[in-house]
Amino acid sequence: MHSLEGQVAIITGAASGIGREIAKRFCAAGAIAVIADLALPAAEATAAEFEAQGHKAMAVAMDVTSEEQVNAGIAAVLAAYGRIDVLVSNAGIQIVHPIEDFPFSDWKKMLAIHLDGAFLTTKAVLPAMYAAGHGSVIYIGSVHSKEASVLKSAYVTAKHGLLGLCRTLAKEGGKKGVRANVVCPGFVRTPLVEKQIPEQAQALGITEEQVIKNVMLKETVDGEFTTVDDVADCVLFFASARSKALTGQSIIVSHGWSME
Ligand code: NAD
């Protein structure tokens, strides 16, 4: 492992849930965490909290589906620090419907946040990473990068798509010192999942307890939720790998829900 001291790590969607924990862990490892989020007040509060603890953090307003906002946000980071060492493409939402009822507008919104967002942020950080001859891009995929679930066609499609983007970047970036990897979490009790529990209960005609036990955690080895900490561990592992050997990979952290 090499130190992240003084490195600049941009984490999208870091004002909440998994991204917030990842940003916190980059701070604890001595990096400067850039909290890039649609929700600017929450991003600012997160950065202020980390700074009050003696860490270095910066909040950036960014809708990852907007090329203009992504480019402006990345430019602001480069103006402030002159380098970008790590990108964690994490911003994401969930919308569930059966395919036959999936509004096309919701489908496009899902693909825009998960795929356009990953593409636009990657594209924007690469010139600085290539110029420096080093960088690490980590996509937050999901067990749904590997498996399918009913009602989640857009999410499953987008999360599978991230594997393709990651592998392509691993090939293009390899000789330029840039690595790309994907972390694939199982269910984590963040606001994104708390919202899904009643929605799925209604869509499937079962209780919320049954959604947790028989849908979300059914295939795990121990009936446990994955935690934000579990996910952050994997991200830090990818970010701090010492050699260029660890690239083009995806790691599943899901209490054995999915195994390969
Ligand atoms: P969350 O709802 O707690 O946080 C998501 C964050 O993304 C929020 O701060 C939100 O403001 C931000 N965001 C949403 N749209 C955005 C946009 N267009 N531009 C910038 N920021 C935007 O969700 P979470 O559970 O922490 O999810 C984070 C990532 O982890 C997502 O990609 C999600 O698909 C993935 N994931 C989550 C789980 C889980 O069980 N929670 C499992 C596997 C993968």
Side-chain angles (χ1 to χ4, degrees):
M1 297 292 124
H2 72 189
S3 166
L4 296 171
E5 195 71 42
Q7 292 204 4
V8 175
I10 301 177
I11 304 103
T12 66
S16 172
I18 292 171
R20 188 182 196 284
E21 182 65 23
I22 293 168
K24 194 169 147 193
R25 294 283 294 280
F26 271 104
C27 281
I32 298 158
V34 178
I35 322 289
D37 206 289
L38 188 61
L40 184 61
E44 285 173 339
T46 304
E49 186 189 318
F50 295 167
E51 292 236 304
Q53 292 160 358
H55 300 304
K56 289 199 181 122
M58 173 184 183
V60 168
M62 186 187 287
D63 176 346
V64 296
T65 69
S66 156
E67 184 173 22
E68 208 179 359
Q69 287 190 33
V70 168
N71 290 346
I74 302 300
V77 175
L78 284 170
Y81 302 112
R83 61 189 286 174
I84 296 168
D85 302 277
V86 179
L87 166 68
V88 184
S89 172
N90 164 81
I93 62 164
Q94 180 60 283
I95 302 176
V96 295
H97 297 288
I99 296 170
E100 70 275 22
D101 295 334
F102 217 113
F104 188 36
S105 56
D106 282 350
W107 169 269
K108 285 194 279 201
K109 187 174 173 184
M110 286 291 287
L111 296 199
I113 294 174
H114 291 275
L115 289 179
D116 296 359
F119 164 73
L120 290 171
T121 50
T122 302
K123 185 178 175 189
V125 300
L126 282 183
M129 288 185 175
Y130 285 165
H134 113 119
S136 174
V137 177
I138 297 150
Y139 300 100
I140 303 302
S142 164
V143 163
H144 287 111
S145 299
K146 312 276 180 171
E147 310 273 351
S149 290
V150 295
L151 309 177
K152 295 190 174 172
S153 54
Y155 190 79
V156 169
T157 301
K159 291 300 192 187
H160 275 65
L162 289 177
L163 298 178
L165 178 61
C166 165
R167 290 166 182 162
T168 307
L169 175 58
K171 291 203 170 191
E172 291 185 7
K175 291 207 174 78
K176 298 172 180 166
V178 172
R179 296 180 298 113
N181 292 286
V182 185
V183 175
C184 302
F187 280 102
V188 182
R189 285 199 93 150
T190 64
L192 179 139
V193 161
E194 295 297 347
K195 180 174 165 280
Q196 275 178 65
I197 297 171
E199 283 176 1
Q200 289 220 23
Q202 201 187 10
L204 300 171
I206 56 179
T207 68
E208 294 189 14
E209 208 166 279
Q210 285 168 328
V211 169
I212 293 172
K213 204 162 166 246
N214 301 336
V215 179
M216 292 183 166
L217 304 180
K218 182 167 179 250
E219 303 293 337
T220 62
V221 295
D222 53 9
E224 298 275 345
F225 276 100
T226 301
T227 66
V228 290
D229 226 24
D230 297 327
V231 182
D233 279 348
C234 293
V235 172
L236 270 282
F237 171 70
F238 275 134
S240 54
R242 216 157 21 92
S243 83
K244 291 179 194 158
L246 189 59
T247 193
Q249 304 306 306
S250 53
I251 190 166
I252 306 169
V253 54
S254 70
H255 285 264
W257 162 14
S258 179
M259 299 188 191
E260 57 181 14

